[in-house]
């Protein structure tokens, strides 16, 4: 494939990786200014029968439409530039994400702090919630399919639904089935392994990623209590009961006991981030007068007291005109009252 140009537009320049369902390449888009990089995914149907290829193409077109819609909803989901068929093989062209996948961060043997793990779970669930709101299941969440873009944001890549095309077989009665459950062992719950994934199947995968971060262990290395349907992991991590309880609920074997979608799980994680309620307000203490203020207060009281004493002294002074006028007025009042009583 190296050097080959697909559709006279996408020139393959580098092999990026190989999976059970196809190969991934780095390419240049020759039609756009600057010839920007893009990612080409090459899917090979398992069954080459022409009739079966028509069914595969119908599935491919449907899933490509879903990816195109998701890419328009959120910038943390790669946009789909093109999808096409050539020589009975299928191709997807998506945005190239500059950054690294989470296998570079979640290193086996190295444990992440609780605060870092909570932030990681929050960032994954925040974008996964957009996917689940469209009733779409990713089906293959794992560290390798979570990219840390250069701006620090988490990008969801490699949705598993398209990979079904590579495992599809059609029996003699024309019934379509798939040879394997889509997903990755260790991150895939039991119902998904049986070919019956649900939205909460993605929640199981995110929970296992959180447990991997805290323990530094790959999910394959963790024991399970099959009687209770619980993963045994707390003894390998320094973690609060609050976070541990959330993770345990995310990875229950019985899917009905998990958070049912990314929104529910995100709310549980947000509750761990909620700040403590503010303390009750402290009563404002009565200010203590300063020496200067005290002297001012005494001064005002003193002025009032002196004024009252002076006024009384003046009224009691026989030479004071105010006192004489007051006595005349009182005499007139007494005379009028005597005349009134006589009548």
């Amino acid at each position: 494939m190296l050097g080959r140009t697909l559709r006279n537009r996408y020139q393959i320049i580098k092999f990026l990786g190989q999976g059970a369902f196809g190969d991934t390449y780095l390419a240049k888009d020759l039609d756009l200014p600057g010839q920007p990089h893009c990612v080409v995914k090459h899917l090979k149907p398992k069954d080459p029968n022409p009739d079966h290829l028509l069914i595969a193409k119908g599935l491919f077109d449907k899933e490509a439409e879903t990816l195109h819609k998701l890419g328009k909803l959120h910038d943390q989901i790669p946009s789909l530039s093109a999808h096409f068929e050539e020589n009975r093989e299928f191709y997807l062209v998506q945005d190239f994400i500059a950054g690294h996948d989470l296998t570079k961060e979640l290193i086996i043997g190295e444990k992440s702090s609780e605060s870092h793990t909570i932030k990681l779970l929050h960032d994954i669930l925040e974008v996964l919630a957009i996917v689940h709101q469209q009733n779409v299941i990713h089906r293959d969440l794992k560290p390798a399919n979570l990219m840390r873009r250069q701006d620090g944001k988490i990008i969801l890549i490699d949705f598993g639904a398209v990979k079904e095309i590579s495992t599809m077989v059609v029996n003699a009665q024309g019934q379509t089935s798939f040879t394997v459950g889509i997903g990755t062992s260790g991150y895939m719950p039991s119902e998904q392994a049986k070919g019956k994934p649900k939205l909460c199947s993605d929640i199981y995968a995110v929970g296992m990623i959180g447990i991997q971060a805290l323990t530094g262990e790959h999910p394959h290395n963790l024991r399970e209590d099959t009687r209770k349907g619980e993963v045994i992991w707390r003894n390998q991590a320094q973690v609060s009961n609050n976070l541990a309880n959330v993770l345990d609920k995310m990875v229950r074997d019985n899917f009905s006991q998990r958070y049912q979608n990314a929104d529910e799980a995100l709310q549980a994680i947000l509750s761990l981030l909620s700040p403590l309620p503010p303390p009750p307000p402290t009563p404002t203490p009565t200010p203590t007068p300063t020496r200067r203020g005290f002297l001012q207060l005494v001064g005002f009281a003193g002025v009032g007291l002196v004024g009252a004493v002076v006024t009384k002294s003046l009224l009691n002074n026989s030479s004071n005109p105010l006192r004489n006028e007051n006595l005349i007025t009182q005499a007139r009042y007494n005379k009028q009252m005597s005349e009134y009583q006589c009548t």
Side-chain angles (χ1 to χ4, degrees), residues 290-300:
T290 62
R291 183 173 182 273
R292 179 181 178 185
F294 179 78
L295 292 176
Q296 289 176 338
L297 181 62
V298 172
F300 291 142

Side-chain angles (χ1 to χ4, degrees), residues 83-337:
H83 73 286
F84 53 91
E85 176 192 356
E86 279 192 9
N87 299 321
R88 299 183 178 181
E89 296 176 355
F90 300 102
Y91 298 88
L92 290 173
V93 183
Q94 291 182 295
D95 288 345
F96 170 71
I97 307 299
H100 61 269
D101 65 57
L102 290 191
T103 61
K104 306 298 189 299
E105 297 182 17
L106 301 181
I107 300 172
I108 301 302
E110 296 185 8
K111 300 181 181 183
S112 299
S113 67
E114 177 164 332
S115 60
H116 180 272
T117 301
I118 290 175
K119 180 66 165 58
L120 177 63
L121 292 170
H122 171 271
D123 291 350
I124 296 172
L125 290 169
E126 193 173 43
V127 61
L128 182 61
I130 304 297
V131 176
H132 283 186
Q133 286 164 11
Q134 302 302 312
N135 204 33
V136 174
I137 311 168
H138 186 285
R139 304 193 196 193
D140 198 16
L141 288 170
K142 58 183 178 180
N145 287 342
L146 296 167
M147 294 287 295
R148 177 81 69 184
R149 199 166 59 191
Q150 288 180 339
D151 62 1
K153 293 184 178 180
I154 296 293
I155 314 298
L156 301 186
I157 65 172
D158 275 5
F159 284 70
V162 174
K163 298 174 182 177
E164 287 186 334
I165 296 163
S166 301
T167 69
M168 189 190 77
V169 293
V170 182
N171 62 21
Q173 288 74 39
Q175 296 174 327
T176 303
S177 63
F178 304 94
T179 56
V180 296
I182 303 301
T184 300
S185 178
Y187 304 96
M188 178 171 53
S190 56
E191 77 278 359
Q192 186 173 337
K194 296 174 184 176
K196 298 179 179 180
K198 308 178 184 301
L199 294 177
C200 62
S201 303
D202 284 345
I203 303 306
Y204 181 95
V206 177
M208 292 307 301
I209 291 170
I211 290 173
Q212 179 177 340
L214 287 170
T215 62
E217 293 285 348
H218 191 281
H220 281 309
N221 298 329
L222 297 172
R223 294 184 298 116
E224 183 177 348
D225 184 339
T226 54
R227 182 175 57 87
K228 296 182 179 179
E230 295 180 352
V231 180
I232 301 173
W233 64 275
R234 292 196 189 201
N235 60 328
Q236 301 185 56
Q238 292 184 340
V239 60
S240 68
N241 284 332
N242 289 338
L243 175 56
N245 291 339
V246 170
L247 287 170
D248 278 342
K249 185 171 181 177
M250 293 176 77
V251 299
R252 296 286 187 200
D253 182 63
N254 186 335
F255 64 83
S256 66
Q257 297 177 357
R258 296 182 212 136
Y259 301 107
Q260 292 302 293
N261 54 55
D263 276 319
E264 287 188 14
L266 179 60
Q267 291 307 310
I269 293 298
L270 286 173
S271 70
L272 303 178
L273 296 171
S274 299
L276 294 174
T282 304
T284 304
T286 303
T288 303
T290 62
R291 183 173 182 273
R292 179 181 178 185
F294 179 78
L295 292 176
Q296 289 176 338
L297 181 62
V298 172
F300 291 142
V303 170
L305 181 60
V306 170
V309 172
V310 171
T311 302
K312 184 176 181 182
S313 175
L314 288 173
L315 290 176
N316 291 332
N317 189 340
S318 59
S319 63
N320 180 15
L322 290 176
R323 178 175 182 270
N324 295 334
E325 184 178 347
N326 184 56
L327 292 174
I328 295 171
T329 302
Q330 183 67 37
R332 288 176 179 172
Y333 173 79
N334 292 337
K335 181 181 179 182
Q336 290 175 351
M337 289 299 296

Side-chain angles (χ1 to χ4, degrees), residues 42-81:
H42 179 201
L43 306 173
K44 301 177 182 179
K46 187 179 183 67
D47 193 334
N49 185 304
D51 292 336
H52 302 166
L53 284 174
L54 286 176
I55 299 174
K57 187 178 187 306
L59 286 172
F60 180 72
D61 289 343
K62 180 180 178 180
E63 295 304 333
E65 182 180 347
T66 298
L67 292 178
H68 180 68
K69 179 181 178 180
L70 290 174
K72 297 295 185 182
L73 289 175
H74 204 285
D75 72 340
Q76 288 171 252
I77 302 171
S79 295
L80 181 69
S81 304

Side-chain angles (χ1 to χ4, degrees), residues 9-13 26-31 34-38:
R9 176 172 180 174
Y10 304 107
Q11 184 181 25
I12 305 298
I13 60 174
L26 182 66
K28 290 192 298 184
D29 189 340
L30 303 180
D31 277 7
Q35 299 183 349
H37 287 163
C38 56

